[in-house]
């Protein structure tokens, strides 16, 4: 592999930033479907009579597979390359979303929405962002991680108002087709513009002083993912990161993203207004996540996480008092506050995985992300059942707030890694 000319790197914008831009757009396309579940509880109930627990079960399968697929996807990227894995994942998302328009039974919802879309989005999970960052950057990793993490929120920002309008004015089926087309539209960009490694174009990673050869494809992707899991599971930081990130998923994707719109509608707020508030969370999520990446490059990741979880828990305790038929200033304050904190936890969590697990950090983060999505899946299902049983979501808001306080304490227990010392809590 040829050594790049130093002058070339100085004169032009580094190719790593273009790869990051393509990854950003790709994650936006994958995020489109994840904006839809909270809008479909009532339409599916009206058309098929499916309870919120039934729909929540499909969302739960989707969220769980989203997480459980991530570590294997990271290993598959090491084996077959980023471009091939991402292109196939986007196609599977489009297939699953498109097939939902013909469903008539709950098992079909579980198959299309739960299984296919869960597998596809799992391959496009944050482990993808971690892989791109680790390969293409040695400097600005926290910032790039924040930007790529914010891409998911940007997809929510772009598609949620549109999809809520389509569901309200037309039906949920045109919304599902819109999502399928959005995912397919990104595939050509991935195939033509995304590259697996800087060595493919004869460049150094951004900020590297030396040329880094492209590693050989890693055989046995599934075996490697499991091996890394068993190795990491023998260390304390893994369980503390996994447990705290499970609570992160429970209090974001499982709770707010899935149940905020139907909960607000329970209090008389129109679906379009509630969906717009969720989209505003996406606006401030972009700001908060990019800022968190910048902070992660400068401050200790453990302390950042503790602050994020503590503030999130406090905000959830106030939410039941803020839900009303109309949007008022305290609710707007909650939306802004919660948006800034939404996935601000990701850059410092990835940084801690990188600190403790080195070259295996992307796969380890994939398993940590799996715990995030399992937490989200549990609350997506339990939240729907709680609403069916108690007639409100209040108990779910309070329980999630208490869990966030526990997560803040968990991350503070993680000790800083000392060179040459095994990663132990």
């Amino acid at each position: 592999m040829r050594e790049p000319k130093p002058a070339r790197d100085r004169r032009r914008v580094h190719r790593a930033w273009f790869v990051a831009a393509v990854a950003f757009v790709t994650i936006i396309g994958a995020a489109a479907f994840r904006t839809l579940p909270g809008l479909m509880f009532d339409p599916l109930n009206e058309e098929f009579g499916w309870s919120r627990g039934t729909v929540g079960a499909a969302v739960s399968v989707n969220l769980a597979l989203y997480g459980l697929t991530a570590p294997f996807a990271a290993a598959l990227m090491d084996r077959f390359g980023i471009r091939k894995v991402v292109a196939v994942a986007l196609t599977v998302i489009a297939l699953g979303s498109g097939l939902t328009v013909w469903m008539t039974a709950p098992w079909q919802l579980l198959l299309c929405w739960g299984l296919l879309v869960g597998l596809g989005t799992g391959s496009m999970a944050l482990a993808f962002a971690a892989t791109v960052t680790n390969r293409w950057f040695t400097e600005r990793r926290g910032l790039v991680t924040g930007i790529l993490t914010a891409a998911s929120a940007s997809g929510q920002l772009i598609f949620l108002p549109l999809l809520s309008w389509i569901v309200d004015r037309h039906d949920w089926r045109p919304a599902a087709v819109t999502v399928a087309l959005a995912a397919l539209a990104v595939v050509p960009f991935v195939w033509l513009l995304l590259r697996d490694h800087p060595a493919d174009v004869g460049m150094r990673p951004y900020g590297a002083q030396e040329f880094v050869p492209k590693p050989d494809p890693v055989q046995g992707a599934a075996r490697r993912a499991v091996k890394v899991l068993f190795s990491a599971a023998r260390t304390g930081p893994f369980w503390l990161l996994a447990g705290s990130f499970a609570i992160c998923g429970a209090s974001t994707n499982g709770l707010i993203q899935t149940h905020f719109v139907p909960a607000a509608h329970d209090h008389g707020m129109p679906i379009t207004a509630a969906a717009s508030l969720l989209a505003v969370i996406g606006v401030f999520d972009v700001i908060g996540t990019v800022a968190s990446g910048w902070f992660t490059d400068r401050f200790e990741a453990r302390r950042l996480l503790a602050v994020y979880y503590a503030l999130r828990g406090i905000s959830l305790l106030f939410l039941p008092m803020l839900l009303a038929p109309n949007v008022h200033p305290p609710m707007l304050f909650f939306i802004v506050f919660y948006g800034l904190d939404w996935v601000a936890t990701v850059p410092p969590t990835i940084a801690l995985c990188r600190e403790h697990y080195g070259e295996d950090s992307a796969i380890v983060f994939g398993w940590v992300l799996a715990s995030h999505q399992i937490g989200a899946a549990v609350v997506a299902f339990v939240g729907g059942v709680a609403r069916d049983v108690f007639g409100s979501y209040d108990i779910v808001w309070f329980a999630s707030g208490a869990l966030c306080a526990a997560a803040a304490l968990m991350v503070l227990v993680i000790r800083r890694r000392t060179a040459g010392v095994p990663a132990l809590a």
Side-chain angles (χ1 to χ4, degrees), residues 47 49 90 98 113 120 126 153 192-193 258 263 268 303 337 350 366 402 410:
E47 180 169 344
L90 286 166
W113 194 347
L126 294 174
L192 296 175
L193 301 176
T258 304
R303 299 186 186 279
F337 189 88
I350 290 179
M410 292 171 69

Side-chain angles (χ1 to χ4, degrees), residues 131-280:
T131 301
V132 169
T133 304
N134 289 348
R135 290 188 181 185
W136 281 89
F137 293 85
T138 59
E139 293 181 355
R140 308 289 186 182
R141 281 177 167 175
L143 177 63
V144 175
T145 301
I147 292 172
L148 295 182
T149 303
S152 180
S154 298
Q156 176 175 296
L157 166 65
I158 293 169
F159 288 99
L160 189 54
L162 172 63
L163 293 176
S164 65
W165 180 84
I166 293 174
V167 170
D168 185 57
R169 297 296 181 87
H170 300 283
D171 192 13
W172 62 268
R173 288 182 176 83
V177 171
T178 301
V179 167
L181 294 177
L184 283 177
V186 182
V187 174
F189 292 95
V190 170
W191 195 254
L192 296 175
L193 301 176
L194 193 63
R195 291 295 179 268
D196 294 328
H197 196 277
D200 289 340
V201 290
M203 300 188 74
R204 307 169 185 170
Y206 179 82
Q209 299 301 314
E210 298 180 356
F211 183 74
V212 179
K214 183 177 180 179
D216 295 330
V218 179
Q219 302 293 330
R223 184 172 61 253
R224 184 185 177 209
V226 174
K227 182 179 178 181
V228 170
L229 170 63
F230 279 105
S231 177
R234 292 196 294 268
T235 67
F238 174 79
W239 292 106
L240 293 169
L241 288 169
S244 60
F245 219 44
I247 294 172
C248 178
S251 56
T252 53
N253 300 84
L255 183 64
I256 297 296
Q257 188 172 44
T258 304
H259 293 292
F260 178 80
V261 172
H265 190 55
D266 283 347
H267 287 76
M269 185 180 295
I271 290 179
T272 51
S276 297
L277 289 177
L278 204 56
V280 174

Side-chain angles (χ1 to χ4, degrees), residues 156 160-161 256 260-261 264 269-284 322-324 326-328 331-336 339:
Q156 176 175 296
L160 189 54
I256 297 296
F260 178 80
V261 172
M269 185 180 295
I271 290 179
T272 51
S276 297
L277 289 177
L278 204 56
V280 174
I281 286 180
V283 177
F284 288 94
L322 303 179
L323 293 170
N326 301 314
V327 179
H328 46 81
M331 173 58 79
L332 290 176
F333 179 79
F334 169 84
I335 293 297
V336 172

Side-chain angles (χ1 to χ4, degrees), residues 333-347:
F333 179 79
F334 169 84
I335 293 297
V336 172
F337 189 88
Y338 206 84
L340 291 172
D341 194 278
W342 181 270
V343 287
T345 55
V346 173

